[in-house]
């Protein structure tokens, strides 16, 4: 092949798919316990192809841009069409925008073909995801060869595994919303299959079902979002093309020039501006047509629907409940799918759709709030869990929340920080999960941290690598997590500054409380959107993308700034909690007195090399990846962000051209380090050495003192007190026993009434809330599952009696007709002739009469 | 016109101006465009000749037949469907036949099917070496007739081609010579066919008397001229004649109430013959239905005369419109005499034909599906399923007729929808019958009850069979969905654009029928997978790594995977439908 990009783009997903098919076919008979070789070879080849693709792309990028500089506003993509899946001509009539507007030729006007090509793309974002996915997949595949050894479903595991890597690489390299959706579902399917891998276990089967169903909620939103994109933009492609399917940029430019010049071009030569194509992005034309308010509503709706989809896949509140249950699957799966790759699909999607979010600041705010809130919520839950894998699962949810928080900032710094965190997180979270798997492997599948402990001498390699992972997750300098978490917090911090009222702000200093602000004006003047925004726009013309947009929520910049400020504090708080729960799990597992459960038998030992080698590689990556890629502390260059800037979605939008990727904030770094060290210190104090304080603290947060107060028996014991006896004797002597009883009764009543709320409080004590995951599962059970189950039962009844009855009736009728006919005509040729004539006559009669 | 002019024109028409018959794409002579059929003829002759010699009897006639068919398929040149501008419409043999994209498409389907069918018969071993020559001669003869059906442009050719396709089929139905059931089926089939042919011939003569021509494109023009001033009795005769022609077609389509032969024949004949009758015969009959329907209810674009280079031919065609050898004695009056819009004049004919076919389609589909319920024999079940599918496919025709008036582009889309359905149906039904044949060879039974628990004996086969059955229902990821979608979309288009309510009724009937059909197909799957295996069954082996298994996989894979690459089918079907209407 003379087109290396095309070849690589095809090979990267095709190799794992081929491995999956081969293993599926040959596994049960031929390969059996050797199935892993195929999978490892395919995924490794896929990884090498990804690296090659990255190299090719960087050459091309350097050739396209002014070499070496920060590639703002350039963007580079390579799109390859494999074949056309469907092409329905004139499927949709785009409402024409009023003449005179520049967008006439590109966005509005005329009919659109519903054309779905199988297209793959290579750009920076895709390349980065491909490299990350295939690298982690390779390591996990090697690890699984050891971990899954001897499992009866060995070949099945690697078949699913290959299928997943295929789906995931396709997910990040397709260039069309329909295909994105297809592979979005495909990774969901693989996740379902792998969570329920041990389908004999009821818990695993249930967890798979739960993940599948919860994801359906999000996917429903995603599907609606895709529909809305189609009706709004008239195309589902990310890239620009001609109507006939031509993808060559030069040809497209030619066609655009011809159309701008007013020439009549044949239908196949008409340019179709893709949703994130340079044609649309360069002119910042993502605002849907129509009145500003309608347009803002549409943008907001698209973004929120996409966000719902992302929340499902990336386990954000309120759809996060499936991820912890997904830990029922084999641990390598948890590491690969439910920590490093698949759950980041939502982040990838939002990052890809950044231009859509740019025109809707309200949606960005929602993304950030969802992310920040989820980060805190999950961190709080993780504090009290005893299941090692679940702690890590909640930690994943929490870190994904961080990524959303960064993406919602919407600036270049924010998006690159979010993706950077995604990248580093993949390494250290995979490392932690694989470490947990190693522990689990040695402990005979026991994962409850109360049942083992002090393993640092039994499993030294796991211990050291796990420690590296913990430090990285906690964000300790200079490990990977530190740099990306700092970038996230720095981006939020910048956003706060950007939104802060300036001296000339007409509202004056009003740091507390929202500024008085009416609903968004309905006039179409772009600069009359909000007083604050208006003045700002005059002062800082570079934020022109913001004031173009009519906010739907009608929040002032001041209020949004405050929200982001709170989110910043929330992020710092979360980083403290993260450090605490991470090291709590670490100390519980590896420190303290040595405790090995009986399930482990006598052979609790370090895992085989096939498991420890990937751990080591991941540990090195977790330690160094941040230091190598982010050098903003030195010279302000962040290689990762600069690479990512070449993505058209990020490099092209006008709003993005104004800001630079995040600078290094010493103050933010200092605060976050302080928080991390504080968390580590606190957990070291509590969990190293004797652990008696922790009991008291748990009692305190469990509001045990409340229960002590409201304990009726303690009142009974008070009767035995000397003072009480003395008072009773005195009153008996005076003959005022009845008064005493009255007073005591009244007192008891008062105490009871007063303590009732406290008693209630006891049942929702902070500890219990955290331990029971804020009762969200129970809430869903009560509000959603039970009613739906009732509805299902009703439907079943209707189906059983009404539909089945009808069907059975319908089924019986033709049989009876058949019986009648059989008795009439079986074998009688004259009847056939008669029937023919009769049929003809009847048809004729119908024709002539009717 | 002088006699020698006519003779020389005849020669040009047949042989062409340019020399060189073979391989010249610019050659538009009748013989060159008729080459695939000629190759089939030569193959038949060769097969018969070869058996005269002793050495010729040492090898199976299968090889001759399959090579001949493959060669015919190659000279059909299906790739021209995808060419820019499509296949030109050329009337060959003085307008008796027509060569256009639709002809090429149908020829491709029929010949490709024949190749697959021949391979199937070789694998399942139904004709032994003794019978091979006879059977394959019959098969190829029938295929020849079917190819003619697909390209008929003249009512006499319609009749003749139907007979040519039918008579070998009668013999094929009795292929199992010793079996009483087979002989009975063959006899019934031929008696019924004779009746239908008689009725049809009567209808043709009535039509010829009414409109003075049996050349289909000319008939449309003539009808447009006469309909506005037609007296009611005459109109009634016209309706009767149209209906009688339809009887012949309905017999080939096994449309209710002309379907009685179908279950008996399918039960009596071996499963392979069932595959042949249910796919090839149906495809040809549908093509013919489209030809007749368009001819009677729409104005067809003028076909180019054969034998001249295309640019010259276009000039000739412009000079004298309906082709030199249109059978009409006198040239039809100038088009302007018809009125402002000849299409509008045909409206009553469209309404008549459209409703007639719509009613037939609904009854056929519904009856086929309902009758399939009670069947215990898999071949009878598939026979009724075939009837139902004929109904689904016929549903595209009312849409075509309704749209032909004002929306020729969408009408062509309806034809392409039908084409897609036929192409996909080929794989589904051939696969189903092939698996039934393999099962029969393995354990000598065609009763559904005997399929119990097969999943444990030969899982690969059962999975393929289940995929094919689900595809026959039309469930989305499988190819059957594409065909149903294409046909239903044509109906929806027709309703949207013409506002004819009966199209909506047809659409609804199609939808309901799809739901109904789910149950009986699923029942077979349920028996195969969920019911326990009978302990008395003779043990047998049907591995996937055998010729039968490989054939099954090869036939099933398109059903599974075509959803990924279906645009080229769509495009070739669109290419086939181009130039059918103006």
């Amino acid at each position: 092949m003379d087109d290396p990009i095309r070849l690589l783009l095809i090979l990267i997903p095709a190799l794992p798919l081929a491995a999956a098919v081969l293993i599926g076919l040959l596994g049960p008979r031929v390969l059996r316990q050797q199935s892993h070789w195929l999978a490892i070879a395919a995924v490794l080849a896929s990884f090498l192809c990804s690296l090659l693709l990255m190299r090719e792309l960087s050459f091309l990028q350097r050739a396209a841009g002014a070499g070496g500089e920060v590639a703002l506003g350039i963007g580079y993509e390579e799109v390859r069409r494999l074949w056309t899946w469907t092409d329905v001509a004139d499927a949709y009539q785009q409402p024409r925008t009023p003449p005179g507007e520049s967008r006439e030729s590109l966005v509005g006007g005329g009919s659109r073909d519903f054309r779905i090509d199988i297209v793959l793309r290579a750009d920076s974002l895709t390349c980065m995801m491909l490299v990350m996915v295939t690298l982690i997949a390779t390591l996990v595949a090697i690890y699984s060869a050891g971990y899954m050894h001897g499992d009866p479903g060995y070949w099945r595991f690697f078949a699913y595994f290959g299928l997943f890597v295929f789906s995931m690489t396709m997910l990040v390299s397709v260039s069309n919303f329909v295909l994105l959706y297809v592979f979005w579902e495909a990774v969901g399917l693989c996740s379902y299959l792998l969570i329920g891998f041990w389908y004999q276990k009821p818990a695993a089967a249930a967890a798979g079902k739960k993940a599948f169903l919860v994801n359906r909620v999000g996917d429903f939103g995603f599907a609606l979002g895709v529909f809305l994109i189609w009706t709004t933009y008239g195309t589902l492609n990310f890239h620009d093309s001609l109507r006939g399917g031509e993808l060559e940029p030069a040809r497209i430019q030619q066609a655009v020039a011809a159309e701008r010049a007013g020439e009549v071009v044949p239908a196949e030569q008409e340019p179709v501006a893709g949703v994130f194509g340079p044609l649309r992005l360069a002119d910042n034309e993502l605002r849907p047509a129509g009145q500003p308010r309608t347009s803002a509503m549409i943008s907001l709706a698209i973004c929120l629907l996409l966000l719902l989809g992302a929340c499902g896949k990336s386990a954000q509140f309120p759809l996060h409940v499936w991820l912890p249950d997904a830990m029922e699957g084999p641990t390598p799966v948890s590491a690969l799918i439910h920590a490093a790759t698949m759950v980041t699909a939502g982040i990838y999607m939002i990052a890809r759709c950044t231009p859509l979010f740019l025109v809707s600041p309200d949606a960005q705010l929602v993304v950030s709030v969802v992310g920040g809130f989820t980060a805190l919520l999950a961190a709080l839950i993780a504090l009290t869990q005893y299941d090692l894998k679940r702690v890590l699962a909640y930690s994943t949810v929490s870190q994904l929340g961080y990524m959303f928080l960064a993406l919602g900032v919407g600036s270049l710094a924010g998006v690159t920080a979010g993706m950077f965190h995604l990248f580093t997180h993949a390494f250290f979270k995979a490392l932690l999960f694989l470490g947990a798997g190693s522990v689990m492997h040695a402990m005979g599948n026991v994962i409850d941290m109360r049942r083992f402990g002090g393993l640092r001498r039994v499993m030294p390699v796991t211990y050291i690598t796990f420690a590296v992972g913990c430090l990285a997750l906690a964000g300790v300098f200079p490990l990977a997590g530190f740099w990306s978490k700092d970038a996230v917090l720095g981006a939020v911090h910048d956003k706060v500054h950007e939104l802060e009222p300036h001296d000339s702000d007409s509202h004056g200093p009003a740091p507390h409380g929202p500024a008085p602000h009416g609903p968004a004006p309905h006039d179409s003047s772009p600069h009359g959107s909000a007083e604050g925004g208006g003045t700002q726009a005059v002062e800082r013309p570079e934020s022109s993308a913001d004031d173009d947009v009519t906010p739907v929520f009608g929040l002032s910049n001041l209020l949004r700034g405050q929200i982001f400020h709170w989110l910043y504090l929330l992020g710092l708080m979360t980083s403290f909690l993260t450090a605490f729960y991470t090291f709590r799990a670490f100390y519980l597992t590896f420190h303290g007195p040595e405790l090995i459960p009986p399930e482990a038998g006598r052979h609790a030992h370090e895992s085989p090399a096939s498991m420890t080698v990937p751990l080591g590689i991941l540990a090195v990556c977790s330690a160094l990846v941040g230091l190598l890629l982010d050098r903003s502390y030195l010279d302000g260059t962040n290689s990762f962000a600069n690479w990512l800037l070449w993505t058209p979605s990020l490099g092209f939008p006008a709003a993005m051209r104004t800001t630079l990727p995040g600078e290094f904030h010493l103050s933010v770094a200092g605060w976050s380090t302080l928080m991390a060290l504080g968390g580590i210190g606190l957990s070291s104090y509590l969990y190293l050495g004797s652990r008696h304080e922790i009991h008291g603290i748990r009692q305190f947060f469990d509001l045990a003192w409340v229960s002590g107060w409201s304990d009726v028996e303690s009142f009974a014991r008070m009767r035995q007190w000397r003072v009480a006896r003395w008072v009773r004797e005195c009153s008996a002597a005076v003959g005022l026993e009845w008064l005493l009883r009255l007073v005591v009764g009244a007192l008891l009543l008062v105490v009871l009434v007063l303590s009732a709320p406290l008693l209630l409080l006891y049942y929702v004590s902070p500890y219990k809330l955290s331990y029971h995951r804020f009762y969200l599962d129970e809430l869903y059970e009560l509000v959603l599952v039970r009613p739906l189950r009732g509805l299902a039962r009703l439907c079943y009844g209707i189906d059983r009696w009404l539909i089945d009855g009808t069907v059975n009736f319908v089924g019986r009728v033709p049989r009876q007709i058949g019986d009648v006919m059989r008795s009439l005509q079986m074998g009688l040729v004259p009847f056939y002739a008669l029937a023919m004539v009769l049929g003809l006559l009847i048809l004729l009669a119908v024709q002539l009469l009717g | 016109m002088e006699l020698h002019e006519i003779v020389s024109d005849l020669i040009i028409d047949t042989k062409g101006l340019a020399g060189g018959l073979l391989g010249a794409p610019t050659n538009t002579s009748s013989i060159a465009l008729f080459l695939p059929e000629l190759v089939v003829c030569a193959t038949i002759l060769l097969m018969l000749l070869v058996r005269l010699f002793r050495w010729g009897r040492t090898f199976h006639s299968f090889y001759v037949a399959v090579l001949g068919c493959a060669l015919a398929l190659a000279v059909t040149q299906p790739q021209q469907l995808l060419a820019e501008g499509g296949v030109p419409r050329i009337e060959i043999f003085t307008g008796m036949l027509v060569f256009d994209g639709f002809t090429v498409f149908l020829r491709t389907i029929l010949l490709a099917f024949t190749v697959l069918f021949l391979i199937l018969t070789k694998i399942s071993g139904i004709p032994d070496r003794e019978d091979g020559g006879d059977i394959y001669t019959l098969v190829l003869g029938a295929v020849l007739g079917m190819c003619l059906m697909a390209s008929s442009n003249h009512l006499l050719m319609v009749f003749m081609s139907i007979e040519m396709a039918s008579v070998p089929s009668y013999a094929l139905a009795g292929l199992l010579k010793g079996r009483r059931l087979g002989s009975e089926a063959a006899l019934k089939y031929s008696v019924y066919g004779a009746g239908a042919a008689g009725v049809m011939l009567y209808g043709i003569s009535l039509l010829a008397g009414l409109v003075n021509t049996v050349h289909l494109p000319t008939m449309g023009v003539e009808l447009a001229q006469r309909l506005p001033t037609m007296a009611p009795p005459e109109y009634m005769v016209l309706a009767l004649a149209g209906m009688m022609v339809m009887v012949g077609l309905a017999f080939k389509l096994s449309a209710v109430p002309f379907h009685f032969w179908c279950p008996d024949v399918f039960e009596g004949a071996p499963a392979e013959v069932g595959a042949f009758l249910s796919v090839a015969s149906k495809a040809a009959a549908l093509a013919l239905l489209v030809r007749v329907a368009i001819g009677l209810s729409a104005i067809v674009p003028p076909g180019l005369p054969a034998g001249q280079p295309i640019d010259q031919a276009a000039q000739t065609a412009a000079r004298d419109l309906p082709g030199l050898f249109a059978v009409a004695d006198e040239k039809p009056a100038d088009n302007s005499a018809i009125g402002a819009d000849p299409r509008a004049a045909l409206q009553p004919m469209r309404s008549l034909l459209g409703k007639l076919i719509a009613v037939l389609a609904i009854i056929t589909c519904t009856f086929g599906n309902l009758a399939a319920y009670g069947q215990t024999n898999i071949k009878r079940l598939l026979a009724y399923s075939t009837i139902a599918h004929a109904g689904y496919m016929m549903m595209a025709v009312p849409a075509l007729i309704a749209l032909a008036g004002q929306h020729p582009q969408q009408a062509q889309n309806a034809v392409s929808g039908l084409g897609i359905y036929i192409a996909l149906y080929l794989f589904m039904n051939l696969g189903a019958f092939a698996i039934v044949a393999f099962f029969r060879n393995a354990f000598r039974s065609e009763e559904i009850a005997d399929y119990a628990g097969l999943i444990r004996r030969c899982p690969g086969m059962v999975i393929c069979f289940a995929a094919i059955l689900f595809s026959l229902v039309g469930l989305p990821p499988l190819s059957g969905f594409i065909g149903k979608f294409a046909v239903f979309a044509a109906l929806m288009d027709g309703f949207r654009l013409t506002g004819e309510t009966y199209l909506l009724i047809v659409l609804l009937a199609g939808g309901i029928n799809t739901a109904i059909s789910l149950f009986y197909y699923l029942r077979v799957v349920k028996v195969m997978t969920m019911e326990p295996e009978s302990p008395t069954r003779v043990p047998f082996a049907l591995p996937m790594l055998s010729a039968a298994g490989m054939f099954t996989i090869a036939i099933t894979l398109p059903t599974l995977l075509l959803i990924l690459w279906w645009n080229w089918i769509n495009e070739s079907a669109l290419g086939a439908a181009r130039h059918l209407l103006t």
Side-chain angles (χ1 to χ4, degrees), chain A residues 464-546:
Chain A
I464 293 168
T465 50
F466 203 88
V468 173
C470 286
L471 286 170
L473 174 57
V476 173
F477 179 87
L479 287 96
F482 168 76
W483 302 105
S484 53
K485 190 178 288 184
D486 176 61
V488 170
L489 291 175
V492 181
H493 193 250
D494 281 352
K495 182 80 174 179
V496 177
H497 273 292
E498 185 193 320
L499 293 171
E500 251 175 18
H502 290 258
D503 297 336
S504 62
D505 197 300
S506 54
H507 294 302
H512 299 292
H517 197 84
H522 288 246
D523 63 337
S524 56
S525 148
H527 285 281
S529 56
E531 298 96 306
T535 30
Q536 260 197 346
V538 176
E539 281 172 16
R540 309 197 312 164
E542 68 267 26
S543 66
S544 57
D546 261 20

Side-chain angles (χ1 to χ4, degrees), chain A residues 798-831:
Chain A
I798 291 176
D799 183 64
R800 185 77 192 272
W801 300 112
L802 196 68
I803 312 256
D804 280 8
T806 319
V807 167
N808 288 340
F809 177 72
V810 170
R812 226 170 283 135
V813 169
R815 197 172 298 182
Q816 253 131 39
I817 296 175
D819 287 346
V820 169
M821 290 197 149
R822 206 169 294 160
S823 66
L824 260 178
Q825 56 107 345
M826 194 58 182
L828 284 180
V829 178
F831 176 80

Side-chain angles (χ1 to χ4, degrees), chain B residues 439-473:
Chain B
F439 281 166
R440 174 205 62 208
N441 284 354
F443 55 93
R444 308 265 150 232
S445 170
E446 286 164 347
E447 294 300 312
I448 297 172
D450 288 338
Y451 284 7
L454 275 182
I455 185 84
R456 277 170 282 285
R457 188 68 55 180
C458 45
M461 280 285 184
V462 169
I463 288 169
C464 288
F465 200 17
I468 285 171
L469 290 174
F470 277 115
S471 179
L472 282 169
V473 179

Side-chain angles (χ1 to χ4, degrees), chain B residues 250 253-259 357-370 384 386-392 394-395 513:
Chain B
L253 277 170
S254 68
V256 177
F258 310 102
H259 70 284
I357 297 176
V359 171
L360 272 181
I362 295 177
I363 298 179
T364 304
C365 192
T366 314
F367 183 88
N369 277 326
L370 291 182
Y384 282 109
T386 301
I387 293 173
H389 277 275
Y392 291 125
M394 281 165 76
M395 287 176 180
N513 266 300

Side-chain angles (χ1 to χ4, degrees), chain A residues 146-281:
Chain A
Y147 186 86
M148 301 299 290
H149 184 75
D151 193 280
Y154 196 69
W155 61 273
R156 198 158 54 89
F157 178 86
F158 283 101
Y160 292 163
F161 189 91
L163 192 63
F164 170 76
V165 179
F166 160 72
S167 309
M168 191 67 204
T169 48
M170 283 300 280
L171 172 78
V172 295
S173 54
V174 294
S175 187
N176 180 307
F177 272 108
V178 171
L179 295 178
L180 180 64
Y181 188 82
V182 167
F183 290 101
W184 187 269
E185 293 300 317
V187 289
L189 171 73
C190 295
S191 157
Y192 166 77
L193 290 173
L194 283 166
I195 294 172
F197 182 74
W198 289 308
Y199 52 85
Q200 302 92 336
K201 256 195 341 190
K209 236 184 326 187
K210 183 170 174 184
F212 204 70
L213 288 176
V214 173
N215 266 305
R216 287 290 79 64
V217 179
D219 295 348
F220 184 62
F222 186 17
L224 292 182
V226 172
F227 299 157
L228 204 52
I229 288 173
W230 162 249
T231 56
T232 310
Y233 297 113
T235 180
L236 290 169
N237 286 340
F238 297 168
H239 55 273
D240 297 327
S241 65
L242 295 186
R243 210 164 160 182
E246 177 68 54
L247 294 170
E248 189 64 42
R251 296 280 300 277
I252 296 172
Q253 287 303 327
Q254 227 174 354
V256 172
E259 190 160 314
R260 289 237 165 95
E263 289 171 31
V264 178
V265 289
E268 264 146 45
Q269 299 292 318
E270 278 175 34
V272 177
V275 181
F276 310 131
L279 285 184
R280 208 184 287 268
L281 293 183

Side-chain angles (χ1 to χ4, degrees), chain A residues 131-155:
Chain A
V131 169
M132 188 272 279
V133 168
T134 48
L135 172 58
I136 307 268
T138 309
L139 295 174
V140 172
I142 297 169
Y143 177 95
S144 310
Y147 186 86
M148 301 299 290
H149 184 75
D151 193 280
Y154 196 69
W155 61 273

Side-chain angles (χ1 to χ4, degrees), chain A residues 639-661:
Chain A
S639 322
F640 185 87
N642 287 349
W643 166 258
L644 218 52
L645 275 181
W646 286 94
T647 313
S649 289
L650 305 181
F652 263 125
M656 290 299 208
R657 296 182 198 168
T658 57
T659 52
L660 279 172

